[in-house]
Short mmCIF file of all heavy atoms in Angstrom, two decimals:
data_model
loop_
_atom_site.label_atom_id
_atom_site.label_comp_id
_atom_site.label_asym_id
_atom_site.label_seq_id
_atom_site.Cartn_x
_atom_site.Cartn_y
_atom_site.Cartn_z
N GLY A 146 1.11 -16.54 -6.98
CA GLY A 146 0.25 -17.72 -6.89
C GLY A 146 -0.28 -18.03 -5.51
O GLY A 146 -0.89 -19.03 -5.23
N GLY A 147 0.03 -17.13 -4.58
CA GLY A 147 -0.55 -17.23 -3.25
C GLY A 147 0.02 -18.49 -2.55
O GLY A 147 1.20 -18.78 -2.61
N GLY A 148 -0.88 -19.26 -1.93
CA GLY A 148 -0.41 -20.56 -1.24
C GLY A 148 0.19 -20.29 0.01
O GLY A 148 0.97 -21.14 0.46
N HIS A 149 -0.03 -19.20 0.67
CA HIS A 149 0.61 -19.00 1.93
C HIS A 149 -0.47 -19.08 3.14
O HIS A 149 -0.19 -18.49 4.13
CB HIS A 149 1.26 -17.56 2.00
CG HIS A 149 2.47 -17.54 1.12
ND1 HIS A 149 3.50 -18.42 1.29
CD2 HIS A 149 2.79 -16.71 0.18
CE1 HIS A 149 4.48 -18.15 0.46
NE2 HIS A 149 4.01 -17.13 -0.32
N ASP A 150 -1.45 -19.87 2.89
CA ASP A 150 -2.54 -19.99 3.90
C ASP A 150 -1.96 -20.38 5.21
O ASP A 150 -2.32 -19.81 6.29
CB ASP A 150 -3.50 -21.17 3.48
CG ASP A 150 -4.46 -20.64 2.37
OD1 ASP A 150 -4.27 -19.50 1.97
OD2 ASP A 150 -5.30 -21.39 1.98
N GLU A 151 -1.08 -21.35 5.21
CA GLU A 151 -0.49 -21.89 6.48
C GLU A 151 0.18 -20.72 7.25
O GLU A 151 -0.03 -20.59 8.46
CB GLU A 151 0.49 -22.93 6.08
CG GLU A 151 1.61 -23.19 7.11
CD GLU A 151 1.30 -24.35 8.01
OE1 GLU A 151 0.74 -25.28 7.50
OE2 GLU A 151 1.65 -24.35 9.19
N ARG A 152 1.06 -20.04 6.61
CA ARG A 152 1.71 -18.90 7.19
C ARG A 152 0.77 -17.85 7.73
O ARG A 152 0.94 -17.28 8.85
CB ARG A 152 2.67 -18.27 6.12
CG ARG A 152 3.89 -17.55 6.64
CD ARG A 152 4.57 -16.91 5.53
NE ARG A 152 3.78 -15.84 4.96
CZ ARG A 152 4.11 -15.11 3.88
NH1 ARG A 152 5.21 -15.33 3.26
NH2 ARG A 152 3.29 -14.18 3.44
N GLU A 153 -0.33 -17.60 6.96
CA GLU A 153 -1.29 -16.63 7.30
C GLU A 153 -1.98 -17.05 8.59
O GLU A 153 -2.25 -16.27 9.51
CB GLU A 153 -2.23 -16.51 6.21
CG GLU A 153 -2.45 -15.10 5.77
CD GLU A 153 -3.26 -14.96 4.57
OE1 GLU A 153 -2.77 -15.16 3.42
OE2 GLU A 153 -4.54 -14.67 4.66
N GLN A 154 -2.30 -18.38 8.67
CA GLN A 154 -2.99 -18.88 9.89
C GLN A 154 -2.16 -18.73 11.06
O GLN A 154 -2.63 -18.38 12.17
CB GLN A 154 -3.30 -20.43 9.65
CG GLN A 154 -4.56 -20.59 8.80
CD GLN A 154 -4.68 -22.07 8.50
OE1 GLN A 154 -4.06 -23.01 9.06
NE2 GLN A 154 -5.58 -22.41 7.48
N THR A 155 -0.86 -18.95 10.97
CA THR A 155 0.09 -18.87 12.06
C THR A 155 0.09 -17.39 12.47
O THR A 155 0.01 -17.12 13.72
CB THR A 155 1.45 -19.30 11.69
OG1 THR A 155 1.40 -20.70 11.20
CG2 THR A 155 2.44 -19.31 12.80
N LEU A 156 0.31 -16.50 11.59
CA LEU A 156 0.30 -15.12 11.86
C LEU A 156 -1.06 -14.66 12.56
O LEU A 156 -1.06 -13.96 13.61
CB LEU A 156 0.54 -14.21 10.67
CG LEU A 156 0.49 -12.72 10.87
CD1 LEU A 156 1.57 -12.32 11.87
CD2 LEU A 156 0.66 -12.01 9.59
N ASN A 157 -2.15 -15.08 11.98
CA ASN A 157 -3.40 -14.70 12.58
C ASN A 157 -3.59 -15.26 13.93
O ASN A 157 -4.17 -14.48 14.78
CB ASN A 157 -4.60 -15.30 11.67
CG ASN A 157 -4.68 -14.55 10.35
OD1 ASN A 157 -4.13 -13.44 10.23
ND2 ASN A 157 -5.37 -15.09 9.33
N GLN A 158 -3.11 -16.42 14.18
CA GLN A 158 -3.15 -16.90 15.55
C GLN A 158 -2.34 -16.01 16.58
O GLN A 158 -2.80 -15.77 17.69
CB GLN A 158 -2.66 -18.35 15.64
CG GLN A 158 -2.86 -19.10 16.89
CD GLN A 158 -4.44 -19.18 17.24
OE1 GLN A 158 -5.19 -19.51 16.30
NE2 GLN A 158 -4.75 -19.03 18.59
N ILE A 159 -1.16 -15.60 16.11
CA ILE A 159 -0.38 -14.75 17.00
C ILE A 159 -1.16 -13.49 17.26
O ILE A 159 -1.25 -13.08 18.44
CB ILE A 159 0.97 -14.41 16.38
CG1 ILE A 159 1.87 -15.65 16.23
CG2 ILE A 159 1.69 -13.34 17.09
CD1 ILE A 159 3.14 -15.46 15.43
N LEU A 160 -1.72 -12.90 16.23
CA LEU A 160 -2.43 -11.62 16.46
C LEU A 160 -3.74 -11.84 17.27
O LEU A 160 -4.01 -10.98 18.12
CB LEU A 160 -2.83 -11.05 15.09
CG LEU A 160 -1.62 -10.68 14.19
CD1 LEU A 160 -2.06 -10.09 12.83
CD2 LEU A 160 -0.63 -9.73 14.90
N ALA A 161 -4.39 -12.96 17.11
CA ALA A 161 -5.60 -13.28 17.94
C ALA A 161 -5.18 -13.47 19.32
O ALA A 161 -5.92 -12.95 20.23
CB ALA A 161 -6.30 -14.58 17.33
N GLU A 162 -4.07 -14.07 19.65
CA GLU A 162 -3.64 -14.23 20.96
C GLU A 162 -3.39 -12.91 21.66
O GLU A 162 -3.73 -12.67 22.80
CB GLU A 162 -2.33 -15.12 21.09
CG GLU A 162 -2.56 -16.52 20.61
CD GLU A 162 -3.27 -17.39 21.64
OE1 GLU A 162 -3.52 -16.98 22.77
OE2 GLU A 162 -3.67 -18.53 21.28
N MET A 163 -2.75 -11.99 20.89
CA MET A 163 -2.48 -10.72 21.43
C MET A 163 -3.72 -9.92 21.63
O MET A 163 -3.87 -9.18 22.60
CB MET A 163 -1.47 -9.96 20.53
CG MET A 163 -0.12 -10.61 20.58
SD MET A 163 1.12 -9.90 19.39
CE MET A 163 1.65 -8.48 20.44
N ASP A 164 -4.63 -9.94 20.66
CA ASP A 164 -5.92 -9.22 20.75
C ASP A 164 -6.67 -9.79 22.00
O ASP A 164 -7.46 -9.01 22.59
CB ASP A 164 -6.74 -9.44 19.56
CG ASP A 164 -6.11 -8.70 18.32
OD1 ASP A 164 -5.27 -7.81 18.56
OD2 ASP A 164 -6.57 -8.98 17.20
N GLY A 165 -6.52 -11.05 22.27
CA GLY A 165 -7.25 -11.73 23.30
C GLY A 165 -6.74 -11.41 24.73
O GLY A 165 -7.40 -11.80 25.70
N PHE A 166 -5.61 -10.72 24.85
CA PHE A 166 -5.14 -10.37 26.24
C PHE A 166 -6.15 -9.50 26.86
O PHE A 166 -6.65 -8.53 26.29
CB PHE A 166 -3.87 -9.61 26.06
CG PHE A 166 -2.57 -10.47 25.90
CD1 PHE A 166 -1.54 -9.99 25.05
CD2 PHE A 166 -2.50 -11.75 26.44
CE1 PHE A 166 -0.41 -10.75 24.88
CE2 PHE A 166 -1.35 -12.47 26.20
CZ PHE A 166 -0.29 -11.99 25.46
N SER A 167 -6.53 -9.94 28.07
CA SER A 167 -7.53 -9.16 28.79
C SER A 167 -7.01 -7.89 29.43
O SER A 167 -7.69 -7.07 29.89
CB SER A 167 -8.19 -10.04 29.83
OG SER A 167 -7.21 -10.37 30.85
N GLY A 168 -5.70 -7.77 29.53
CA GLY A 168 -5.03 -6.77 30.18
C GLY A 168 -4.52 -7.15 31.54
O GLY A 168 -3.89 -6.38 32.31
N HIS A 169 -4.89 -8.44 31.86
CA HIS A 169 -4.48 -8.95 33.19
C HIS A 169 -3.27 -9.84 33.08
O HIS A 169 -2.65 -10.15 34.13
CB HIS A 169 -5.62 -9.72 33.88
CG HIS A 169 -6.70 -8.79 34.23
ND1 HIS A 169 -6.57 -7.91 35.26
CD2 HIS A 169 -7.95 -8.68 33.80
CE1 HIS A 169 -7.68 -7.25 35.47
NE2 HIS A 169 -8.55 -7.74 34.50
N GLU A 170 -2.90 -10.20 31.86
CA GLU A 170 -1.72 -11.04 31.70
C GLU A 170 -0.42 -10.24 31.90
O GLU A 170 -0.26 -9.21 31.27
CB GLU A 170 -1.74 -11.74 30.33
CG GLU A 170 -2.87 -12.65 30.03
CD GLU A 170 -4.09 -11.94 29.58
OE1 GLU A 170 -4.04 -10.73 29.55
OE2 GLU A 170 -5.00 -12.62 29.23
N ALA A 171 0.50 -10.84 32.63
CA ALA A 171 1.78 -10.10 32.78
C ALA A 171 2.70 -10.71 31.76
O ALA A 171 3.65 -11.42 32.09
CB ALA A 171 2.25 -10.36 34.21
N ILE A 172 2.36 -10.49 30.53
CA ILE A 172 3.12 -11.08 29.38
C ILE A 172 3.46 -9.96 28.46
O ILE A 172 2.60 -9.15 28.05
CB ILE A 172 2.35 -12.19 28.70
CG1 ILE A 172 2.19 -13.47 29.62
CG2 ILE A 172 3.02 -12.55 27.37
CD1 ILE A 172 1.59 -14.59 29.03
N ILE A 173 4.69 -9.93 28.00
CA ILE A 173 5.08 -9.01 26.94
C ILE A 173 5.53 -9.87 25.74
O ILE A 173 6.40 -10.75 25.96
CB ILE A 173 6.09 -7.98 27.46
CG1 ILE A 173 5.44 -7.02 28.38
CG2 ILE A 173 6.67 -7.19 26.25
CD1 ILE A 173 6.38 -5.99 29.00
N VAL A 174 5.03 -9.53 24.61
CA VAL A 174 5.47 -10.24 23.41
C VAL A 174 6.45 -9.41 22.60
O VAL A 174 6.19 -8.29 22.34
CB VAL A 174 4.29 -10.54 22.47
CG1 VAL A 174 4.75 -11.50 21.26
CG2 VAL A 174 3.11 -11.20 23.22
N LEU A 175 7.70 -9.95 22.48
CA LEU A 175 8.71 -9.27 21.73
C LEU A 175 8.88 -9.90 20.31
O LEU A 175 8.96 -11.11 20.32
CB LEU A 175 10.04 -9.30 22.46
CG LEU A 175 10.19 -8.60 23.79
CD1 LEU A 175 11.62 -8.83 24.40
CD2 LEU A 175 9.86 -7.17 23.75
N GLY A 176 8.84 -9.10 19.36
CA GLY A 176 9.09 -9.63 18.00
C GLY A 176 10.36 -9.08 17.52
O GLY A 176 10.73 -7.96 17.88
N ALA A 177 11.11 -9.82 16.71
CA ALA A 177 12.30 -9.22 16.06
C ALA A 177 12.38 -9.32 14.55
O ALA A 177 11.80 -10.30 14.00
CB ALA A 177 13.52 -9.99 16.65
N THR A 178 12.84 -8.26 13.91
CA THR A 178 12.88 -8.33 12.49
C THR A 178 14.05 -7.50 11.96
O THR A 178 14.39 -6.43 12.65
CB THR A 178 11.55 -7.92 11.82
OG1 THR A 178 11.68 -8.06 10.37
CG2 THR A 178 11.27 -6.50 12.18
N ASN A 179 14.72 -7.89 10.84
CA ASN A 179 15.60 -6.98 10.21
C ASN A 179 14.95 -6.41 8.87
O ASN A 179 15.56 -5.74 8.10
CB ASN A 179 16.96 -7.55 9.90
CG ASN A 179 16.85 -8.99 9.43
OD1 ASN A 179 15.99 -9.21 8.61
ND2 ASN A 179 17.80 -9.78 9.77
N ARG A 180 13.69 -6.75 8.73
CA ARG A 180 12.87 -6.22 7.58
C ARG A 180 11.58 -5.60 7.98
O ARG A 180 10.50 -6.12 7.59
CB ARG A 180 12.63 -7.39 6.58
CG ARG A 180 13.92 -7.96 5.86
CD ARG A 180 14.60 -6.90 4.95
NE ARG A 180 13.74 -6.20 4.01
CZ ARG A 180 13.39 -6.66 2.81
NH1 ARG A 180 13.79 -7.82 2.37
NH2 ARG A 180 12.66 -5.94 2.01
N PRO A 181 11.60 -4.57 8.81
CA PRO A 181 10.34 -3.94 9.22
C PRO A 181 9.52 -3.44 8.01
O PRO A 181 8.30 -3.36 8.07
CB PRO A 181 10.79 -2.83 10.06
CG PRO A 181 12.15 -2.51 9.79
CD PRO A 181 12.74 -3.82 9.33
N ASP A 182 10.23 -3.17 6.87
CA ASP A 182 9.58 -2.62 5.70
C ASP A 182 8.58 -3.62 5.04
O ASP A 182 7.66 -3.22 4.29
CB ASP A 182 10.58 -2.14 4.67
CG ASP A 182 11.56 -3.25 4.33
OD1 ASP A 182 12.16 -3.87 5.31
OD2 ASP A 182 11.84 -3.54 3.14
N VAL A 183 8.78 -4.90 5.26
CA VAL A 183 7.89 -5.89 4.52
C VAL A 183 6.79 -6.42 5.42
O VAL A 183 5.95 -7.22 5.03
CB VAL A 183 8.67 -7.14 4.00
CG1 VAL A 183 9.80 -6.74 3.11
CG2 VAL A 183 9.30 -7.93 5.12
N LEU A 184 6.72 -5.93 6.68
CA LEU A 184 5.74 -6.44 7.65
C LEU A 184 4.31 -6.03 7.25
O LEU A 184 4.09 -4.91 6.83
CB LEU A 184 6.07 -5.96 9.08
CG LEU A 184 7.19 -6.62 9.71
CD1 LEU A 184 7.38 -6.07 11.18
CD2 LEU A 184 7.11 -8.15 9.78
N ASP A 185 3.41 -6.90 7.42
CA ASP A 185 2.03 -6.63 7.25
C ASP A 185 1.53 -5.58 8.24
O ASP A 185 1.81 -5.69 9.41
CB ASP A 185 1.25 -7.94 7.54
CG ASP A 185 -0.19 -7.89 7.10
OD1 ASP A 185 -0.87 -6.79 7.44
OD2 ASP A 185 -0.73 -8.81 6.46
N PRO A 186 0.91 -4.50 7.73
CA PRO A 186 0.52 -3.42 8.68
C PRO A 186 -0.37 -3.85 9.87
O PRO A 186 -0.38 -3.24 10.85
CB PRO A 186 -0.24 -2.45 7.78
CG PRO A 186 0.09 -2.84 6.37
CD PRO A 186 0.51 -4.22 6.35
N ALA A 187 -1.03 -4.96 9.67
CA ALA A 187 -1.85 -5.52 10.68
C ALA A 187 -1.15 -5.81 11.97
O ALA A 187 -1.64 -5.75 13.13
CB ALA A 187 -2.59 -6.75 10.24
N ILE A 188 0.13 -6.11 11.83
CA ILE A 188 1.06 -6.49 12.93
C ILE A 188 1.33 -5.32 13.80
O ILE A 188 1.50 -5.48 15.01
CB ILE A 188 2.34 -7.13 12.35
CG1 ILE A 188 2.07 -8.42 11.65
CG2 ILE A 188 3.37 -7.25 13.45
CD1 ILE A 188 3.36 -8.98 11.09
N LEU A 189 1.29 -4.14 13.12
CA LEU A 189 1.71 -2.93 13.87
C LEU A 189 0.58 -2.14 14.48
O LEU A 189 0.84 -1.09 15.11
CB LEU A 189 2.46 -2.00 12.85
CG LEU A 189 3.59 -2.71 12.08
CD1 LEU A 189 4.17 -1.78 10.98
CD2 LEU A 189 4.67 -3.24 13.00
N ARG A 190 -0.64 -2.64 14.34
CA ARG A 190 -1.77 -1.98 14.92
C ARG A 190 -1.72 -1.81 16.40
O ARG A 190 -1.12 -2.60 17.10
CB ARG A 190 -3.11 -2.68 14.50
CG ARG A 190 -3.63 -2.08 13.26
CD ARG A 190 -4.99 -2.76 13.02
NE ARG A 190 -5.10 -2.97 11.51
CZ ARG A 190 -5.55 -4.06 11.00
NH1 ARG A 190 -6.09 -5.01 11.80
NH2 ARG A 190 -5.59 -4.25 9.71
N PRO A 191 -2.41 -0.77 17.00
CA PRO A 191 -2.43 -0.63 18.41
C PRO A 191 -2.90 -1.89 19.14
O PRO A 191 -3.77 -2.59 18.69
CB PRO A 191 -3.46 0.50 18.66
CG PRO A 191 -3.47 1.25 17.34
CD PRO A 191 -3.12 0.28 16.28
N GLY A 192 -2.16 -2.14 20.19
CA GLY A 192 -2.55 -3.42 20.94
C GLY A 192 -1.70 -4.66 20.51
O GLY A 192 -1.66 -5.64 21.15
N ARG A 193 -1.07 -4.45 19.36
CA ARG A 193 -0.20 -5.53 18.85
C ARG A 193 1.21 -5.10 19.03
O ARG A 193 1.62 -4.68 20.07
CB ARG A 193 -0.57 -5.84 17.44
CG ARG A 193 -2.05 -6.40 17.33
CD ARG A 193 -2.52 -6.63 15.94
NE ARG A 193 -3.78 -7.24 15.92
CZ ARG A 193 -4.52 -7.39 14.84
NH1 ARG A 193 -4.02 -6.99 13.62
NH2 ARG A 193 -5.69 -8.01 14.93
#
Side-chain angles (χ1 to χ4, degrees):
H149 289 305
D150 282 3
E151 155 100 35
R152 207 186 63 185
E153 232 172 281
Q154 279 171 15
T155 304
L156 175 62
N157 287 342
Q158 189 63 38
I159 292 173
L160 300 179
E162 293 288 347
M163 293 177 79
D164 290 347
F166 280 147
S167 65
H169 291 292
E170 294 85 355
I172 290 185
I173 291 177
V174 186
L175 295 181
T178 183
N179 45 36
R180 293 296 309 275
D182 54 310
V183 302
L184 288 181
D185 191 314
I188 292 177
L189 310 174
R190 267 188 221 139
R193 295 174 175 174

